[in-house]
């Protein structure tokens, strides 16, 4: 059983994501770190009632940053996993 709320964390709203949605029918989501392509496709299909044709997964690794408030000790800036989901021609996701 797929719990879509655990897999799909949030919709990514950027200029590039808006351009992909308008022109190529692709939508960008931040997903759980342990999610794979099939789980993401099933979760999107279940939540939005659309047919998914392709899923691309990208892992953004955390960056090391020097924290001046802690006397120069390094800290990390969070990484995340995102998925670019391509939908079948004619399907769309309405996001307010």
């Amino acid at each position: 059983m797929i719990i879509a709320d655990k897999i799909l964390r949030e919709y990514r709203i950027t200029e590039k994501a808006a351009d992909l949605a308008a022109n190529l029918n692709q939508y960008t989501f931040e997903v759980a770190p342990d999610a794979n392509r099939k789980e993401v496709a099933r979760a999107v299909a279940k939540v939005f009632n659309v047919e998914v044709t392709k899923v691309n997964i990208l892992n953004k690794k955390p960056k090391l940053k020097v924290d001046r408030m802690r006397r120069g000790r390094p800290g990390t800036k969070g990484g995340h996993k995102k998925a670019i989901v391509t939908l079948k021609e004619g399907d769309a996701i309405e996001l307010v």
Side-chain angles (χ1 to χ4, degrees), residues 2 7 35-45 52 55 57:
I2 294 176
I7 295 172
N36 60 26
R37 292 173 196 261
K38 290 180 182 179
E39 290 174 345
V40 171
R42 288 183 193 136
V44 170
V52 177
V55 177
I57 301 265

Side-chain angles (χ1 to χ4, degrees), residues 57-85:
I57 301 265
L58 295 98
N59 287 310
K60 183 176 179 283
K61 296 187 178 178
K63 288 184 176 180
L64 284 176
K65 293 286 186 180
V66 175
D67 189 1
R68 292 179 16 195
M69 299 302 287
R70 296 186 317 155
R71 297 183 183 226
R73 283 186 253 142
T76 58
K77 194 171 183 181
H80 60 273
K81 188 174 196 176
K82 71 178 179 178
I84 300 174
V85 179

Side-chain angles (χ1 to χ4, degrees), residues 2-10 27-59 81-87 93:
I2 294 176
I3 302 171
D5 296 337
K6 304 268 184 195
I7 295 172
L8 299 177
R9 292 201 172 161
E10 67 181 28
Y27 297 89
T28 307
F29 297 94
E30 185 173 333
V31 296
D34 58 342
N36 60 26
R37 292 173 196 261
K38 290 180 182 179
E39 290 174 345
V40 171
R42 288 183 193 136
V44 170
K46 182 178 178 183
V47 171
F48 297 107
N49 296 323
V50 293
E51 189 174 332
V52 177
T53 58
K54 187 176 168 183
V55 177
N56 292 337
I57 301 265
L58 295 98
N59 287 310
K81 188 174 196 176
K82 71 178 179 178
I84 300 174
V85 179
T86 305
L87 302 181
I93 295 176

